[in-house]
mmCIF file of all heavy atoms in Angstrom:
data_model
loop_
_atom_site.group_PDB
_atom_site.id
_atom_site.type_symbol
_atom_site.label_atom_id
_atom_site.label_comp_id
_atom_site.label_asym_id
_atom_site.label_seq_id
_atom_site.Cartn_x
_atom_site.Cartn_y
_atom_site.Cartn_z
ATOM 1 N N ASP A 155 -4.556 -13.961 -19.285
ATOM 2 C CA ASP A 155 -6.000 -14.093 -19.438
ATOM 3 C C ASP A 155 -6.725 -13.365 -18.320
ATOM 4 O O ASP A 155 -7.726 -12.673 -18.548
ATOM 5 C CB ASP A 155 -6.384 -15.572 -19.441
ATOM 6 C CG ASP A 155 -7.861 -15.770 -19.734
ATOM 7 O OD1 ASP A 155 -8.282 -15.467 -20.861
ATOM 8 O OD2 ASP A 155 -8.594 -16.215 -18.829
ATOM 9 N N ARG A 156 -6.222 -13.497 -17.091
ATOM 10 C CA ARG A 156 -6.840 -12.818 -15.945
ATOM 11 C C ARG A 156 -6.811 -11.309 -16.127
ATOM 12 O O ARG A 156 -7.799 -10.612 -15.906
ATOM 13 C CB ARG A 156 -6.103 -13.209 -14.668
ATOM 14 C CG ARG A 156 -6.616 -12.539 -13.396
ATOM 15 C CD ARG A 156 -5.492 -12.382 -12.398
ATOM 16 N NE ARG A 156 -4.440 -11.557 -12.959
ATOM 17 C CZ ARG A 156 -3.209 -11.535 -12.498
ATOM 18 N NH1 ARG A 156 -2.852 -12.322 -11.519
ATOM 19 N NH2 ARG A 156 -2.311 -10.735 -13.043
ATOM 20 N N VAL A 157 -5.658 -10.782 -16.545
ATOM 21 C CA VAL A 157 -5.534 -9.342 -16.762
ATOM 22 C C VAL A 157 -6.558 -8.862 -17.779
ATOM 23 O O VAL A 157 -7.246 -7.851 -17.578
ATOM 24 C CB VAL A 157 -4.110 -8.987 -17.226
ATOM 25 C CG1 VAL A 157 -4.048 -7.562 -17.767
ATOM 26 C CG2 VAL A 157 -3.117 -9.149 -16.083
ATOM 27 N N SER A 158 -6.672 -9.587 -18.865
ATOM 28 C CA SER A 158 -7.606 -9.201 -19.921
ATOM 29 C C SER A 158 -9.041 -9.176 -19.418
ATOM 30 O O SER A 158 -9.799 -8.231 -19.703
ATOM 31 C CB SER A 158 -7.481 -10.168 -21.100
ATOM 32 O OG SER A 158 -8.427 -9.874 -22.100
ATOM 33 N N ARG A 159 -9.427 -10.174 -18.654
ATOM 34 C CA ARG A 159 -10.805 -10.260 -18.190
ATOM 35 C C ARG A 159 -11.112 -9.222 -17.121
ATOM 36 O O ARG A 159 -12.213 -8.653 -17.091
ATOM 37 C CB ARG A 159 -11.107 -11.673 -17.695
ATOM 38 C CG ARG A 159 -11.074 -12.709 -18.819
ATOM 39 C CD ARG A 159 -11.455 -14.086 -18.328
ATOM 40 N NE ARG A 159 -11.312 -15.081 -19.383
ATOM 41 C CZ ARG A 159 -12.206 -15.300 -20.345
ATOM 42 N NH1 ARG A 159 -13.315 -14.586 -20.378
ATOM 43 N NH2 ARG A 159 -11.989 -16.234 -21.250
ATOM 44 N N VAL A 160 -10.155 -8.947 -16.250
ATOM 45 C CA VAL A 160 -10.377 -7.911 -15.236
ATOM 46 C C VAL A 160 -10.403 -6.535 -15.890
ATOM 47 O O VAL A 160 -11.190 -5.660 -15.513
ATOM 48 C CB VAL A 160 -9.312 -7.993 -14.132
ATOM 49 C CG1 VAL A 160 -9.449 -6.828 -13.150
ATOM 50 C CG2 VAL A 160 -9.442 -9.313 -13.368
ATOM 51 N N ASN A 161 -9.544 -6.328 -16.881
ATOM 52 C CA ASN A 161 -9.591 -5.076 -17.644
ATOM 53 C C ASN A 161 -10.984 -4.862 -18.216
ATOM 54 O O ASN A 161 -11.539 -3.754 -18.171
ATOM 55 C CB ASN A 161 -8.599 -5.122 -18.812
ATOM 56 C CG ASN A 161 -7.164 -4.968 -18.372
ATOM 57 O OD1 ASN A 161 -6.886 -4.626 -17.240
ATOM 58 N ND2 ASN A 161 -6.246 -5.239 -19.284
ATOM 59 N N SER A 162 -11.537 -5.897 -18.793
ATOM 60 C CA SER A 162 -12.846 -5.795 -19.417
ATOM 61 C C SER A 162 -13.924 -5.431 -18.391
ATOM 62 O O SER A 162 -14.820 -4.623 -18.673
ATOM 63 C CB SER A 162 -13.216 -7.114 -20.107
ATOM 64 O OG SER A 162 -12.339 -7.374 -21.192
ATOM 65 N N ALA A 163 -13.834 -6.017 -17.202
ATOM 66 C CA ALA A 163 -14.805 -5.695 -16.148
ATOM 67 C C ALA A 163 -14.669 -4.240 -15.721
ATOM 68 O O ALA A 163 -15.669 -3.526 -15.565
ATOM 69 C CB ALA A 163 -14.609 -6.626 -14.958
ATOM 70 N N PHE A 164 -13.447 -3.785 -15.530
ATOM 71 C CA PHE A 164 -13.221 -2.394 -15.146
ATOM 72 C C PHE A 164 -13.751 -1.450 -16.226
ATOM 73 O O PHE A 164 -14.456 -0.476 -15.945
ATOM 74 C CB PHE A 164 -11.734 -2.150 -14.921
ATOM 75 C CG PHE A 164 -11.398 -0.718 -14.585
ATOM 76 C CD1 PHE A 164 -11.494 -0.263 -13.286
ATOM 77 C CD2 PHE A 164 -10.986 0.163 -15.573
ATOM 78 C CE1 PHE A 164 -11.190 1.056 -12.968
ATOM 79 C CE2 PHE A 164 -10.682 1.488 -15.269
ATOM 80 C CZ PHE A 164 -10.781 1.935 -13.955
ATOM 81 N N ASN A 165 -13.423 -1.743 -17.458
ATOM 82 C CA ASN A 165 -13.861 -0.887 -18.560
ATOM 83 C C ASN A 165 -15.378 -0.838 -18.662
ATOM 84 O O ASN A 165 -15.958 0.210 -18.960
ATOM 85 C CB ASN A 165 -13.266 -1.384 -19.876
ATOM 86 C CG ASN A 165 -11.769 -1.151 -19.957
ATOM 87 O OD1 ASN A 165 -11.230 -0.290 -19.276
ATOM 88 N ND2 ASN A 165 -11.100 -1.930 -20.783
ATOM 89 N N ALA A 166 -16.033 -1.973 -18.419
ATOM 90 C CA ALA A 166 -17.488 -1.998 -18.449
ATOM 91 C C ALA A 166 -18.075 -1.114 -17.359
ATOM 92 O O ALA A 166 -19.079 -0.415 -17.574
ATOM 93 C CB ALA A 166 -17.988 -3.437 -18.291
ATOM 94 N N ALA A 167 -17.437 -1.118 -16.186
ATOM 95 C CA ALA A 167 -17.945 -0.319 -15.068
ATOM 96 C C ALA A 167 -17.805 1.181 -15.317
ATOM 97 O O ALA A 167 -18.680 1.962 -14.951
ATOM 98 C CB ALA A 167 -17.226 -0.706 -13.781
ATOM 99 N N VAL A 168 -16.700 1.603 -15.931
ATOM 100 C CA VAL A 168 -16.430 3.035 -16.081
ATOM 101 C C VAL A 168 -16.783 3.564 -17.463
ATOM 102 O O VAL A 168 -16.519 4.732 -17.771
ATOM 103 C CB VAL A 168 -14.942 3.350 -15.775
ATOM 104 C CG1 VAL A 168 -14.564 2.848 -14.399
ATOM 105 C CG2 VAL A 168 -14.012 2.751 -16.839
ATOM 106 N N ALA A 169 -17.402 2.758 -18.293
ATOM 107 C CA ALA A 169 -17.617 3.119 -19.691
ATOM 108 C C ALA A 169 -18.360 4.439 -19.867
ATOM 109 O O ALA A 169 -18.103 5.172 -20.824
ATOM 110 C CB ALA A 169 -18.371 1.996 -20.401
ATOM 111 N N ARG A 170 -19.277 4.765 -18.972
ATOM 112 C CA ARG A 170 -20.092 5.974 -19.134
ATOM 113 C C ARG A 170 -19.561 7.167 -18.351
ATOM 114 O O ARG A 170 -20.161 8.244 -18.386
ATOM 115 C CB ARG A 170 -21.537 5.698 -18.710
ATOM 116 C CG ARG A 170 -22.219 4.590 -19.508
ATOM 117 C CD ARG A 170 -23.613 4.360 -18.957
ATOM 118 N NE ARG A 170 -24.159 3.090 -19.396
ATOM 119 C CZ ARG A 170 -25.179 2.969 -20.251
ATOM 120 N NH1 ARG A 170 -25.722 4.039 -20.778
ATOM 121 N NH2 ARG A 170 -25.636 1.776 -20.573
ATOM 122 N N LEU A 171 -18.461 6.987 -17.640
ATOM 123 C CA LEU A 171 -17.911 8.094 -16.863
ATOM 124 C C LEU A 171 -17.165 9.077 -17.756
ATOM 125 O O LEU A 171 -16.581 8.680 -18.765
ATOM 126 C CB LEU A 171 -16.945 7.567 -15.791
ATOM 127 C CG LEU A 171 -17.533 6.715 -14.671
ATOM 128 C CD1 LEU A 171 -16.411 6.291 -13.725
ATOM 129 C CD2 LEU A 171 -18.622 7.470 -13.918
ATOM 130 N N PRO A 172 -17.128 10.352 -17.366
ATOM 131 C CA PRO A 172 -16.291 11.300 -18.092
ATOM 132 C C PRO A 172 -14.828 10.875 -18.034
ATOM 133 O O PRO A 172 -14.389 10.251 -17.059
ATOM 134 C CB PRO A 172 -16.510 12.621 -17.333
ATOM 135 C CG PRO A 172 -17.836 12.451 -16.650
ATOM 136 C CD PRO A 172 -17.916 10.995 -16.291
ATOM 137 N N VAL A 173 -14.074 11.213 -19.058
ATOM 138 C CA VAL A 173 -12.677 10.798 -19.139
ATOM 139 C C VAL A 173 -11.875 11.300 -17.941
ATOM 140 O O VAL A 173 -11.048 10.567 -17.378
ATOM 141 C CB VAL A 173 -12.042 11.292 -20.457
ATOM 142 C CG1 VAL A 173 -10.545 10.997 -20.476
ATOM 143 C CG2 VAL A 173 -12.707 10.639 -21.655
ATOM 144 N N ASP A 174 -12.097 12.539 -17.517
ATOM 145 C CA ASP A 174 -11.307 13.076 -16.414
ATOM 146 C C ASP A 174 -11.583 12.331 -15.109
ATOM 147 O O ASP A 174 -10.675 12.128 -14.288
ATOM 148 C CB ASP A 174 -11.541 14.574 -16.242
ATOM 149 C CG ASP A 174 -12.997 14.907 -15.937
ATOM 150 O OD1 ASP A 174 -13.897 14.155 -16.376
ATOM 151 O OD2 ASP A 174 -13.239 15.927 -15.257
ATOM 152 N N VAL A 175 -12.814 11.890 -14.919
ATOM 153 C CA VAL A 175 -13.141 11.124 -13.717
ATOM 154 C C VAL A 175 -12.448 9.767 -13.754
ATOM 155 O O VAL A 175 -11.881 9.305 -12.752
ATOM 156 C CB VAL A 175 -14.666 10.952 -13.586
ATOM 157 C CG1 VAL A 175 -15.003 10.024 -12.416
ATOM 158 C CG2 VAL A 175 -15.338 12.303 -13.381
ATOM 159 N N THR A 176 -12.463 9.116 -14.907
ATOM 160 C CA THR A 176 -11.790 7.828 -15.041
ATOM 161 C C THR A 176 -10.289 7.976 -14.813
ATOM 162 O O THR A 176 -9.659 7.112 -14.193
ATOM 163 C CB THR A 176 -12.052 7.239 -16.436
ATOM 164 O OG1 THR A 176 -13.455 7.136 -16.640
ATOM 165 C CG2 THR A 176 -11.435 5.856 -16.566
ATOM 166 N N GLN A 177 -9.712 9.047 -15.290
ATOM 167 C CA GLN A 177 -8.284 9.283 -15.084
ATOM 168 C C GLN A 177 -7.975 9.471 -13.602
ATOM 169 O O GLN A 177 -6.958 8.965 -13.093
ATOM 170 C CB GLN A 177 -7.829 10.496 -15.891
ATOM 171 C CG GLN A 177 -7.821 10.255 -17.394
ATOM 172 C CD GLN A 177 -7.529 11.506 -18.196
ATOM 173 O OE1 GLN A 177 -7.521 12.618 -17.665
ATOM 174 N NE2 GLN A 177 -7.292 11.338 -19.481
ATOM 175 N N ARG A 178 -8.855 10.165 -12.893
ATOM 176 C CA ARG A 178 -8.634 10.338 -11.450
ATOM 177 C C ARG A 178 -8.764 9.004 -10.721
ATOM 178 O O ARG A 178 -7.991 8.717 -9.784
ATOM 179 C CB ARG A 178 -9.611 11.369 -10.878
ATOM 180 C CG ARG A 178 -9.286 12.798 -11.269
ATOM 181 C CD ARG A 178 -10.033 13.799 -10.414
ATOM 182 N NE ARG A 178 -11.441 13.869 -10.699
ATOM 183 C CZ ARG A 178 -12.001 14.702 -11.577
ATOM 184 N NH1 ARG A 178 -11.229 15.535 -12.276
ATOM 185 N NH2 ARG A 178 -13.305 14.712 -11.751
ATOM 186 N N LEU A 179 -9.713 8.175 -11.143
ATOM 187 C CA LEU A 179 -9.833 6.845 -10.540
ATOM 188 C C LEU A 179 -8.557 6.035 -10.749
ATOM 189 O O LEU A 179 -8.095 5.320 -9.851
ATOM 190 C CB LEU A 179 -11.017 6.097 -11.138
ATOM 191 C CG LEU A 179 -12.398 6.435 -10.592
ATOM 192 C CD1 LEU A 179 -13.476 5.797 -11.443
ATOM 193 C CD2 LEU A 179 -12.518 5.986 -9.141
ATOM 194 N N THR A 180 -7.993 6.135 -11.925
ATOM 195 C CA THR A 180 -6.763 5.422 -12.232
ATOM 196 C C THR A 180 -5.631 5.897 -11.339
ATOM 197 O O THR A 180 -4.889 5.096 -10.765
ATOM 198 C CB THR A 180 -6.385 5.634 -13.710
ATOM 199 O OG1 THR A 180 -7.394 5.077 -14.534
ATOM 200 C CG2 THR A 180 -5.064 4.941 -14.031
ATOM 201 N N LEU A 181 -5.495 7.201 -11.187
ATOM 202 C CA LEU A 181 -4.426 7.743 -10.353
ATOM 203 C C LEU A 181 -4.600 7.337 -8.898
ATOM 204 O O LEU A 181 -3.629 7.000 -8.210
ATOM 205 C CB LEU A 181 -4.402 9.269 -10.477
ATOM 206 C CG LEU A 181 -3.288 9.998 -9.705
ATOM 207 C CD1 LEU A 181 -1.918 9.452 -10.117
ATOM 208 C CD2 LEU A 181 -3.364 11.489 -9.957
ATOM 209 N N ILE A 182 -5.836 7.346 -8.430
ATOM 210 C CA ILE A 182 -6.100 6.919 -7.050
ATOM 211 C C ILE A 182 -5.664 5.469 -6.854
ATOM 212 O O ILE A 182 -5.054 5.114 -5.835
ATOM 213 C CB ILE A 182 -7.595 7.099 -6.719
ATOM 214 C CG1 ILE A 182 -7.913 8.591 -6.554
ATOM 215 C CG2 ILE A 182 -7.972 6.329 -5.451
ATOM 216 C CD1 ILE A 182 -9.395 8.900 -6.450
ATOM 217 N N GLU A 183 -5.956 4.618 -7.828
ATOM 218 C CA GLU A 183 -5.565 3.210 -7.706
ATOM 219 C C GLU A 183 -4.052 3.041 -7.796
ATOM 220 O O GLU A 183 -3.458 2.239 -7.070
ATOM 221 C CB GLU A 183 -6.264 2.383 -8.780
ATOM 222 C CG GLU A 183 -6.008 0.887 -8.657
ATOM 223 C CD GLU A 183 -6.509 0.328 -7.346
ATOM 224 O OE1 GLU A 183 -7.487 0.842 -6.791
ATOM 225 O OE2 GLU A 183 -5.905 -0.650 -6.861
ATOM 226 N N LEU A 184 -3.417 3.799 -8.652
ATOM 227 C CA LEU A 184 -1.967 3.689 -8.818
ATOM 228 C C LEU A 184 -1.217 4.100 -7.559
ATOM 229 O O LEU A 184 -0.085 3.666 -7.337
ATOM 230 C CB LEU A 184 -1.501 4.554 -9.992
ATOM 231 C CG LEU A 184 -1.922 4.079 -11.389
ATOM 232 C CD1 LEU A 184 -1.597 5.123 -12.433
ATOM 233 C CD2 LEU A 184 -1.236 2.762 -11.722
ATOM 234 N N THR A 185 -1.830 4.936 -6.738
ATOM 235 C CA THR A 185 -1.164 5.418 -5.513
ATOM 236 C C THR A 185 -1.719 4.753 -4.259
ATOM 237 O O THR A 185 -1.483 5.222 -3.152
ATOM 238 C CB THR A 185 -1.303 6.948 -5.400
ATOM 239 O OG1 THR A 185 -2.696 7.309 -5.519
ATOM 240 C CG2 THR A 185 -0.530 7.653 -6.499
ATOM 241 N N ARG A 186 -2.430 3.650 -4.418
ATOM 242 C CA ARG A 186 -3.021 2.974 -3.265
ATOM 243 C C ARG A 186 -1.976 2.588 -2.220
ATOM 244 O O ARG A 186 -2.231 2.644 -1.008
ATOM 245 C CB ARG A 186 -3.770 1.719 -3.718
ATOM 246 C CG ARG A 186 -4.459 0.964 -2.602
ATOM 247 C CD ARG A 186 -5.117 -0.299 -3.121
ATOM 248 N NE ARG A 186 -6.269 -0.021 -3.940
ATOM 249 C CZ ARG A 186 -7.512 0.149 -3.454
ATOM 250 N NH1 ARG A 186 -7.720 0.066 -2.152
ATOM 251 N NH2 ARG A 186 -8.512 0.377 -4.271
ATOM 252 N N ALA A 187 -0.795 2.191 -2.663
ATOM 253 C CA ALA A 187 0.237 1.727 -1.731
ATOM 254 C C ALA A 187 0.730 2.838 -0.810
ATOM 255 O O ALA A 187 1.446 2.561 0.159
ATOM 256 C CB ALA A 187 1.418 1.146 -2.509
ATOM 257 N N ARG A 188 0.370 4.080 -1.072
ATOM 258 C CA ARG A 188 0.804 5.199 -0.221
ATOM 259 C C ARG A 188 0.084 5.207 1.121
ATOM 260 O O ARG A 188 0.469 5.914 2.035
ATOM 261 C CB ARG A 188 0.591 6.522 -0.946
ATOM 262 C CG ARG A 188 1.425 6.653 -2.216
ATOM 263 C CD ARG A 188 2.899 6.517 -1.929
ATOM 264 N NE ARG A 188 3.716 6.703 -3.134
ATOM 265 C CZ ARG A 188 5.041 6.748 -3.121
ATOM 266 N NH1 ARG A 188 5.703 6.596 -1.989
ATOM 267 N NH2 ARG A 188 5.711 6.910 -4.248
ATOM 268 N N GLU A 189 -0.989 4.472 1.233
ATOM 269 C CA GLU A 189 -1.694 4.270 2.507
ATOM 270 C C GLU A 189 -2.194 5.571 3.118
ATOM 271 O O GLU A 189 -2.097 5.798 4.329
ATOM 272 C CB GLU A 189 -0.797 3.516 3.498
ATOM 273 C CG GLU A 189 -0.409 2.126 3.029
ATOM 274 C CD GLU A 189 0.461 1.395 4.038
ATOM 275 O OE1 GLU A 189 1.168 2.060 4.806
ATOM 276 O OE2 GLU A 189 0.416 0.159 4.041
ATOM 277 N N VAL A 190 -2.749 6.418 2.259
ATOM 278 C CA VAL A 190 -3.456 7.601 2.731
ATOM 279 C C VAL A 190 -4.823 7.598 2.050
ATOM 280 O O VAL A 190 -4.998 6.938 1.023
ATOM 281 C CB VAL A 190 -2.691 8.908 2.412
ATOM 282 C CG1 VAL A 190 -1.320 8.910 3.083
ATOM 283 C CG2 VAL A 190 -2.546 9.113 0.910
ATOM 284 N N PRO A 191 -5.799 8.309 2.600
ATOM 285 C CA PRO A 191 -7.134 8.299 1.995
ATOM 286 C C PRO A 191 -7.117 8.721 0.529
ATOM 287 O O PRO A 191 -6.262 9.488 0.086
ATOM 288 C CB PRO A 191 -7.912 9.301 2.858
ATOM 289 C CG PRO A 191 -7.230 9.242 4.187
ATOM 290 C CD PRO A 191 -5.775 9.073 3.868
ATOM 291 N N ALA A 192 -8.097 8.229 -0.210
ATOM 292 C CA ALA A 192 -8.154 8.467 -1.650
ATOM 293 C C ALA A 192 -8.152 9.945 -2.003
ATOM 294 O O ALA A 192 -7.568 10.354 -3.012
ATOM 295 C CB ALA A 192 -9.401 7.800 -2.229
#
Side-chain angles (χ1 to χ4, degrees):
D155 186 67
R156 178 210 60 199
V157 167
S158 176
R159 294 183 185 279
V160 174
N161 286 349
S162 295
F164 177 84
N165 290 337
V168 305
R170 300 177 197 249
L171 294 180
V173 174
D174 60 331
V175 174
T176 303
Q177 290 173 349
R178 287 195 288 269
L179 280 170
T180 297
L181 183 56
I182 287 171
E183 185 61 30
L184 291 171
T185 53
R186 182 183 290 273
R188 297 302 183 174
E189 298 181 333
V190 300

